[in-house]
Amino acid sequence: MRYVKLPKENIYDFLERLKDYGKLYAPVKISEKFYDFREVDDVKKIEFHYNRTIMPPKKFFFLPREKMFEFSISKAEYKETIENVEPFVVFGLHACDIFALKIMDTIYLDEFPDKYYKVRREKGIIIGISCMPDEYCFCNLRETDFADDGFDLFLHELPDGYLVRVGTPIGHRIVDKSIKLFEEVTSQDICDFREFEKKREESFKYHEDWGSLRYLLELEMEHPMWDEQSELCLACGNCNTTCPTCRCYEVQDIPNLDGDTGVRIRRWDSCQLRSHGLVAGNHNFRPTKRSRFMNRYLCKNSYNEKLGLSYCVGCGRCTYFCPAGISFVKNLRTIMGLEDKSCPPEISEEIPKRGFAYGGAKQ
Amino acid sequence: MSDNPYALEKAKVLRVYDLTETEKLFLFRFENSEIAENWTFKPGQFVQLTIPGVGEVPISICSSPMRKGFFELCIRRIGRVTTVIHRLKPGDTVLVRGPYGNGFPVDEWEGMDLLIIAAGLGTAPLRSVFLYAMDNRWKFGNITFINTARYGKELLFYKELEAIRDLAEAENVKIIQSVTRDKEWKGLKGRPQQFIVEANTNPKKTAVTVCGPPRMYRDVFETLINYGYRPENIYVTLERRMKCGIGKCGHCNVGTSTSWKYICKDGPVFGYFDIVSTPGLLD
Ligand SMILES: Cc1cc2nc3c(=O)[nH]c(=O)nc-3n(C[C@H](O)[C@H](O)[C@H](O)COP(=O)(O)OP(=O)(O)OC[C@H]3O[C@@H](n4cnc5c(N)ncnc54)[C@H](O)[C@@H]3O)c2cc1C
Ligand code: SF4
Ligand code: SF4
Ligand code: FES
């Protein structure tokens, strides 16, 4: 990997130059408590120290709502409606969000690549930045706290600038075109980088092994936590909207007023809504709030085989933005017996764990 | 091939048959003749059928892949899109993409007996398996098709199966058609599992396919296993809400943290052991 240093006094020049590659999006403060990726004109407004944006960067590639087709109804014809996507730059992603995009890629760029996602992914330049965790962060437990790839450039904060890792040919080009802004990395920079990483590692709230989580979640499907916590859930879907790896979408055909044309649109969906598992004849595969609540926990903690990671990257958004104050981490730690050490928990009756399956079951 | 996985192909309705009060059989042909002749699928796969401006629905292909140039869909009128589909007439055009899903591993079944157990709309995907086996009769041993519904007038493909009964019998193909609730029905009465004992198949070397409402599976499995049918040879085909058919929209996902499945991509056909290891697949 190639490493260069961006001295502090050159950062705004560098950001200004990024606009040569397309529209520049970066984290900005949008209210007292919230940050979001927005198009920036004045690079001085960019926030270098934020913990999480309200909307995850998936929004640049998998649009909250987008038109897929236009129909001519009487002719039974349709036209693809993929707009001409111009190159753009997203500056300031944290490692967890970069991992989240890699997870999105495993879904949207698999053997049936989703064209709408792909054209944007190909045009998006990704520039990462280092971060200091707050009490909501647990990317260290998800092993998504340090991105090895998935970025064009990655900036690590130093006392007097940034140590920059160059990840792709585009990254090299960006550096080379502004080479006057950069310097060679010095021995002192390496010490500072090491110091930063050490401090960061120590700042995480939890240092523990979650290796058994997947199995315990499955074995503890009757744990009282599920009833207690799903009872508090408002089913608003904020956890899905803000999650950088939630990728469920709903599709709708909408006829126009002329009656002969129409559009097919898709928009983000949430598994916490009743409609997610509803089929014709009013049958619902996830009829209760508890079953939908549990679904998110199981989905996010299932195993992405291509990356060897869970679908949750530990960004903390679903807890931070939950209006009911439900803590994802606390609930997972409860299941792992890390919150309350008594085992088994108080149970009213023993519920069969289904290991006997069907034939030969001791009924 | 389009680079857009949601791309649609025009298909023309050639014929429409009324099967029951709520189900019709549609015969389609792709308008592009090259696609029409070369398009193929495996029994158990499905297509996504679009009525432009109304919506898109997943429907199992119920014809045999051996009969090229057309395909058949058996569709129940139950909601918005299917109601509009039921108004289609020969000559009308719809938009189709697919085939999707894994389908049944019919190639692995060569030399085995075949037991098909269907209830209600489950007959549609299993008819494809049955017709495929009839078209490749030499590849299979004995065959039994147990076709059931609640009422006689709901039995799908009743007439078609009755019409070939005698001929089939001579070829070691047994057809059992039964109803579960119809008191007036003159023919057989009883649940599908009651007829497993009458099948002409050898439990030790039989591929079993089951499709019907979820609540019937437990009893069918227990009966099969009690009669010595091998769990590893039992297959089911399942249904969920679907919006994409290609593992993206997330609606058909089911499972737990160690076994997360997309019905559209990992299924809709699942083996018995998938079911046992994936809570939620059946219930
Ligand atoms: C793999 C598979 C194979 C199927 N094969 C057949 C078949 O051979 N014949 C048949 O009649 N039906 C079949 N179905 C069910 C059929 O897809 C639904 O009956 C149909 O989607 C209902 O649409 P609707 O608009 O009429 O109903 P509405 O209730 O108005 O549904 C609105 C929308 O919800 C979705 N939806 C509703 N029910 C289902 C469902 N059961 N499965 C998936 N999506 C649903 C659809 O996108 C639909 O457009 C199959 C479903 C699946 C998943
Ligand atoms: S589940 Fe929660 S913590 Fe995990 S990636 Fe999604 S929003 Fe972040
Ligand atoms: S099923 Fe739920 S948790 Fe999983 S990706 Fe979809 S919205 Fe997110
Ligand atoms: S139907 Fe969209 S993921 Fe299966």
Side-chain angles (χ1 to χ4, degrees), chain A residues 15-287:
Chain A
L15 288 167
E16 203 56 55
R17 291 263 189 122
L18 285 178
K19 292 186 192 161
D20 297 344
Y21 298 86
K23 271 190 188 160
L24 175 63
Y25 299 90
V28 293
K29 199 173 171 111
I30 55 163
S31 69
E32 183 59 34
K33 277 174 74 185
F34 297 156
Y35 298 89
D36 200 12
F37 287 101
R38 294 285 163 90
E39 186 181 348
V40 281
D41 192 31
D42 177 5
V43 294
K44 293 250 159 57
K45 295 226 167 88
I46 294 176
E47 185 58 58
F48 300 95
H49 300 100
Y50 73 98
N51 279 107
R52 57 191 62 76
T53 55
I54 183 158
M55 292 289 252
K58 72 179 178 190
K59 72 171 182 179
F60 294 109
F61 309 99
F62 169 44
L63 305 191
R65 180 191 154 104
E66 86 182 296
K67 198 156 82 176
M68 302 178 78
F69 298 146
E70 277 167 7
F71 289 114
S72 152
I73 294 172
S74 56
K75 288 196 219 125
E77 279 172 359
Y78 78 103
K79 196 167 86 226
E80 259 175 40
T81 48
I82 299 186
E83 34 179 302
N84 204 7
V85 180
E86 296 294 332
F88 60 98
V89 184
V90 190
F91 173 86
L93 284 82
H94 292 164
C96 61
D97 278 350
I98 290 175
F99 271 102
L101 288 177
K102 289 174 55 165
I103 287 174
M104 293 294 275
D105 289 349
T106 65
I107 294 159
Y108 278 101
L109 302 177
D110 64 354
E111 66 264 40
F112 300 105
D114 183 284
K115 192 170 177 183
Y116 305 83
Y117 177 86
K118 188 160 174 252
V119 292
R120 297 195 173 87
R121 199 71 171 100
E122 283 166 355
K123 294 290 169 68
I125 293 172
I126 301 288
I127 302 187
I129 194 165
S130 59
C131 48
M132 243 341 133
D134 67 4
E135 72 269 30
Y136 294 94
C137 295
F138 58 109
C139 58
N140 60 327
L141 305 177
R142 297 302 199 179
E143 295 174 24
T144 52
D145 51 334
F146 199 94
D148 304 302
D149 56 10
F151 53 82
D152 297 290
L153 295 174
F154 200 106
L155 275 57
H156 294 272
E157 187 178 349
L158 303 172
D160 58 346
Y162 294 91
L163 184 144
V164 181
R165 288 189 289 146
V166 184
T168 60
I170 292 176
H172 286 288
R173 205 170 84 219
I174 295 173
V175 169
D176 289 338
K177 285 229 169 178
S178 306
I179 197 73
K180 290 208 176 74
L181 297 177
F182 293 91
E183 293 172 359
E184 287 289 356
V185 172
T186 65
S187 304
Q188 184 57 45
D189 295 334
I190 299 172
C191 293
D192 292 337
F193 170 65
R194 197 185 276 141
E195 196 55 38
F196 184 95
E197 286 302 308
K198 186 157 158 267
K199 185 167 160 231
R200 177 168 182 250
E201 170 57 27
E202 285 163 359
S203 309
F204 284 106
K205 183 165 178 191
Y206 299 109
H207 294 86
E208 57 204 22
D209 184 4
W210 280 17
S212 59
L213 172 59
R214 264 198 285 287
Y215 307 97
L216 284 169
L217 274 173
E218 216 168 40
L219 285 163
E220 291 284 26
M221 289 188 16
E222 305 301 336
H223 195 287
M225 181 281 281
W226 298 115
D227 281 330
E228 284 163 26
Q229 296 290 304
S230 62
E231 192 59 35
L232 303 174
C233 173
L234 307 174
C236 65
N238 270 11
C239 50
N240 303 115
T241 310
T242 59
C243 179
T245 67
C246 270
R247 57 76 214 303
C248 283
Y249 67 77
E250 177 65 54
V251 182
Q252 219 181 332
D253 279 11
I254 304 171
N256 293 331
L257 287 178
D258 63 13
D260 191 45
T261 57
V263 291
R264 172 164 295 174
I265 61 124
R266 73 170 174 197
R267 58 185 155 74
W268 290 1
D269 199 4
S270 155
C271 64
Q272 303 307 294
L273 305 179
R274 219 184 127 263
S275 56
H276 195 272
L278 190 67
V279 295
N282 220 11
H283 179 69
N284 201 324
F285 283 99
R286 280 189 276 274

Side-chain angles (χ1 to χ4, degrees), chain A residues 68-69 71-73 75-78 80 82 107-116 213-215 217-218 221 247-251 253-255 262-264 266 269 275-281 283 285-286 295 297-299 301-303 306 311 354-355 357-361 363, chain B residues 2-10 49-56 78-80 93-95 97 99-100 214 217-218 221-222 225-226 239-260 262 265 272 275-283:
Chain A
M68 302 178 78
F69 298 146
F71 289 114
S72 152
I73 294 172
K75 288 196 219 125
E77 279 172 359
Y78 78 103
E80 259 175 40
I82 299 186
I107 294 159
Y108 278 101
L109 302 177
D110 64 354
E111 66 264 40
F112 300 105
D114 183 284
K115 192 170 177 183
Y116 305 83
L213 172 59
R214 264 198 285 287
Y215 307 97
L217 274 173
E218 216 168 40
M221 289 188 16
R247 57 76 214 303
C248 283
Y249 67 77
E250 177 65 54
V251 182
D253 279 11
I254 304 171
V263 291
R264 172 164 295 174
R266 73 170 174 197
D269 199 4
S275 56
H276 195 272
L278 190 67
V279 295
H283 179 69
F285 283 99
R286 280 189 276 274
N295 181 69
Y297 279 62
L298 296 173
C299 178
N301 289 291
S302 64
Y303 189 62
K306 286 187 198 133
Y311 281 87
R354 307 174 34 122
Y358 300 97
Q363 296 287 341
Chain B
S2 167
D3 60 347
N4 188 334
Y6 309 104
L8 306 167
E9 274 303 323
K10 280 186 170 188
L49 189 157
T50 287
I51 302 287
V54 183
E56 189 175 49
I78 190 163
R80 236 164 48 83
T93 303
V94 297
L95 298 167
R97 62 188 174 98
Y100 295 125
Y217 288 102
R218 176 177 292 272
F221 287 165
E222 273 178 10
I225 289 167
N226 287 341
E239 185 186 302
R240 280 295 181 288
R241 184 185 186 81
M242 289 189 183
K243 283 293 168 180
C244 70
I246 51 174
K248 309 240 184 298
C249 77
H251 285 95
C252 71
N253 69 18
V254 48
T256 63
S257 38
T258 66
S259 181
W260 195 249
Y262 297 97
K265 205 169 85 164
Y272 175 84
I275 301 227
V276 173
S277 334
T278 314
L281 266 187
L282 276 195
D283 42 23

Side-chain angles (χ1 to χ4, degrees), chain A residues 278-281, chain B residues 46 56-60 74-76 78-83 121 124-125 238-243 268:
Chain A
L278 190 67
V279 295
Chain B
F46 63 94
E56 189 175 49
V57 289
I59 303 288
S60 311
C74 163
I75 300 177
R76 171 177 291 178
I78 190 163
R80 236 164 48 83
V81 181
T82 50
T83 299
L121 200 48
L238 301 177
E239 185 186 302
R240 280 295 181 288
R241 184 185 186 81
M242 289 189 183
K243 283 293 168 180

Side-chain angles (χ1 to χ4, degrees), chain B residues 221-232:
Chain B
F221 287 165
E222 273 178 10
T223 313
L224 283 169
I225 289 167
N226 287 341
Y227 282 121
Y229 286 89
R230 297 279 158 89
E232 64 269 30

